[in-house]
Amino acid sequence: MRSLRGGRPAESTRRLAFETTLQAAELAGEGGPPGLEEMSTPNMLDNARRLLVTATERQRADVARAEALGAELARLRAENAALRRRLPELASEPGSAPVEVDPPPIVHTLIDISDRVAGLRDTVEPAVTRWLLDRITEALAGTGVIGIRDKGPVDVTRHAVLAVRATDDPDLIDRIAETVRPGYRWNDRILRPQQVIAYVEDGR
């Protein structure tokens, strides 16, 4: 790193190229190129340009994925609204079931989309994923599905423990430390338990 310090114009330009390349690598989700400190200034700038192109392409792909999920969600919400408008008609047909025994098929699709959108949090603008998740929650609520995001003690009838976290605080033992994925219930039936990390006694 000593070779990158100094006040002369060439050294200042080289230091700027070095820092630009590292920032570009961070944006692209990559580490700095091997041997970066020994590269010439033009080579550093070439690597920075390459990494910025990669970062731009990655961001465009993430935005395209978010837009595709948004379009799919809009389509599913329209289908759900159409089905709900037809419910009185369907209920009056001969042989129609008086009580639903399973949630509409759209529910499992919406839950899957919700999981995928949540997985984009680290790569897509948080406001975009928050908006999509809010719309999905509204669509699920329209079908009678309620999310489960409990805090407090672990309840095996509502929660699935995926991992544990040690603690020396006795008040936290067997309580929820973190939610990995929310759970869902429909008509008092658990469609998916809340997936959690639970506190356990340190040393267990």
Side-chain angles (χ1 to χ4, degrees):
M1 293 294 292
R2 285 195 298 273
S3 63
L4 298 179
R5 300 182 183 278
R8 289 178 294 177
E11 292 175 341
S12 178
T13 300
R14 178 174 169 76
R15 186 169 64 253
L16 179 60
F18 178 83
E19 293 171 353
T20 300
T21 303
L22 288 181
Q23 290 173 359
E26 184 178 351
L27 286 172
E30 300 181 10
L36 178 60
E37 291 188 16
E38 286 73 36
M39 286 184 186
S40 66
T41 300
N43 282 344
M44 285 185 186
L45 293 174
D46 284 342
N47 273 278
R49 278 192 289 268
R50 176 186 64 80
L51 289 165
L52 286 172
V53 168
T54 299
T56 301
E57 291 175 346
R58 180 179 178 182
Q59 289 175 352
R60 285 175 179 167
D62 289 337
V63 170
R65 278 195 296 167
E67 289 176 348
L69 287 172
E72 177 69 3
L73 174 59
R75 183 185 67 80
L76 291 171
R77 291 185 68 187
E79 288 184 1
N80 183 49
L83 284 172
R84 290 178 67 81
R85 285 194 297 270
R86 289 196 62 206
L87 280 178
E89 173 190 339
L90 294 172
S92 65
E93 291 180 357
S96 60
V99 180
E100 290 181 286
V101 294
D102 288 305
I106 192 176
V107 165
H108 299 289
T109 302
L110 288 170
I111 291 174
D112 178 63
I113 290 176
S114 179
D115 289 342
R116 285 190 285 159
V117 169
L120 295 175
R121 281 194 176 112
D122 295 334
T123 56
V124 174
E125 180 68 29
V128 175
T129 56
R130 183 70 265 163
W131 183 88
L132 287 170
L133 290 171
D134 286 346
R135 301 294 79 73
I136 294 169
T137 299
E138 290 175 5
L140 285 168
T143 66
V145 174
I146 305 299
I148 304 173
R149 291 181 176 272
D150 296 337
K151 297 180 180 179
V154 173
D155 180 348
V156 295
T157 66
R158 294 168 60 87
H159 311 139
V161 177
L162 301 187
V164 296
R165 183 175 298 167
T167 180
D168 56 6
D169 185 344
D171 292 334
L172 292 179
I173 295 172
D174 295 329
R175 297 176 72 88
I176 295 171
E178 182 181 335
T179 295
V180 179
R181 292 188 186 89
Y184 296 95
R185 63 184 176 87
W186 177 80
N187 286 354
D188 295 324
R189 168 182 161 191
I190 301 296
L191 299 178
R192 184 177 79 184
Q194 180 180 348
Q195 299 175 353
V196 303
I197 298 172
Y199 284 115
V200 296
E201 183 179 357
D202 194 10
R204 277 174 58 177

